[in-house]
């Protein structure tokens, strides 16, 4: 019985990979957010951990970004570029990212891309909302 329980606890979680091409400015914002989180946690953090931290925070700050800031953060044309980034996240976190994209899209009146949602997560950590 114990062997079955151990096997269940160590099964791989379902994951999603996001392959993005960011502008240098968006990459700097992501890097700064990773630095801020790593400094706070006192260990090196990955983009996956950044998204997990922001999207599962108890205050759900990302869902409370004021509309004028959301409009400035979610600018797809300013975020795409030549810096390639691959981010793998658990399906549960990807669902939360989709929830944010749906909510932001409803508020902005247009669809919100993954890169815009990731930039919003970086913004939350960089601005301390």
């Amino acid at each position: 019985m114990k062997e079955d329980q151990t096997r269940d606890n160590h099964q791989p979680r379902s994951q999603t990979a996001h392959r993005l091409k960011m502008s240098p400015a968006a990459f700097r914002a992501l890097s700064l957010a990773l630095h801020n989180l790593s400094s706070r946690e006192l260990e090196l953090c990955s983009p996956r951990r950044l998204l997990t931290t922001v999207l599962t925070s108890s205050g759900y700050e990302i869902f409370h970004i004021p509309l004028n800031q959301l409009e400035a953060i979610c600018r797809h044309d300013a975020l795409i570029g030549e810096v390639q980034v691959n981010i793998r996240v658990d399906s549960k976190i990807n669902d939360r990212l989709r929830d944010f994209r749906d909510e932001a899209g409803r508020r902005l009146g247009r669809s919100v891309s993954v890169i815009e949602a990731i930039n919003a997560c970086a913004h939350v950590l960089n601005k301390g909302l």
Side-chain angles (χ1 to χ4, degrees):
M1 183 75 151
K2 183 173 179 157
E3 186 176 311
D4 290 339
Q5 290 172 344
T6 303
R7 193 176 320 127
D8 288 341
N9 290 337
H10 295 294
Q11 287 182 351
R13 292 179 260 178
S14 179
Q15 297 182 343
T16 301
H18 295 286
R19 291 169 178 76
L20 309 167
K21 287 191 172 186
M22 303 178 122
S23 69
F27 183 73
R28 277 191 299 278
L30 179 63
S31 298
L32 179 59
L34 289 171
H35 167 76
N36 290 338
L37 181 61
S38 295
S39 295
R40 187 176 83 193
E41 300 290 325
L42 298 177
E43 64 183 17
L44 188 59
C45 295
S46 65
R48 177 181 179 171
R49 179 126 173 228
L50 181 146
L51 294 177
T52 300
T53 299
V54 171
L55 293 167
T56 61
S57 71
S58 60
Y60 300 112
E61 293 92 352
I62 193 161
F63 290 93
H64 301 293
I65 297 172
L67 183 59
N68 62 339
Q69 288 182 19
L70 193 60
E71 289 172 337
I73 294 165
C74 294
R75 294 178 30 233
H76 186 79
D77 292 341
L79 299 173
I80 58 172
E82 63 278 356
V83 181
Q84 282 195 287
V85 178
N86 295 325
I87 301 173
R88 185 177 302 276
V89 294
D90 294 335
S91 291
K92 176 182 144 189
I93 301 305
N94 195 54
D95 291 344
R96 293 292 297 155
L97 190 65
R98 190 176 305 111
D99 291 344
F100 170 74
R101 291 176 59 205
D102 291 345
E103 173 64 20
R106 185 189 61 73
R107 291 176 63 200
L108 294 171
R110 62 171 179 79
S111 64
V112 172
S113 68
V114 171
I115 196 167
E116 290 170 303
I118 290 172
N119 193 55
C121 290
H123 174 80
V124 166
L125 276 174
N126 290 337
K127 300 300 180 190
L129 287 177

